[in-house]
Amino acid sequence: MPFAWKAAGITYNRYLTVAARAVRRSLKDDKRLVAERRGETDLRFTKWTNGKQGEPRSVVEANQAAMVEAAGGGQSA
């Protein structure tokens, strides 16, 4: 029998994210605020080209820039 998250078609990491958010939201206000701050992360990555390290970038900022580029890149005049 497969796991419920696998049967739902989501990854294990996504399942953990949803479960953690549900637990945090069920806490009383004072503990919820502390838990929500603890749940925030800042993931960064660096692209390597020809053996040279590029500039470190935030994943959130890179995703937002890619979405803007994709939204504007598909239009032609």
Side-chain angles (χ1 to χ4, degrees):
M1 181 172 162
F3 295 105
W5 56 267
K6 193 178 271 190
I10 61 174
T11 65
Y12 185 67
N13 283 338
R14 183 69 181 144
Y15 163 75
L16 289 177
T17 301
V18 171
R21 187 181 320 134
V23 170
R24 281 189 218 108
R25 288 181 178 175
S26 69
L27 297 171
K28 291 183 179 179
D29 286 338
D30 57 337
K31 296 186 188 278
R32 181 181 50 82
L33 293 174
V34 173
E36 284 179 352
R37 274 189 242 123
R38 191 172 44 237
E40 294 175 6
T41 59
D42 182 30
L43 186 61
R44 298 174 101 31
F45 72 98
T46 302
K47 186 174 181 179
W48 289 72
T49 307
N50 296 327
K52 305 269 183 185
Q53 182 179 0
E55 188 69 28
R57 295 178 57 194
S58 167
V59 171
V60 173
E61 292 170 4
N63 284 341
Q64 288 173 347
M67 288 171 43
V68 168
E69 183 178 316
Q75 299 173 355
S76 60

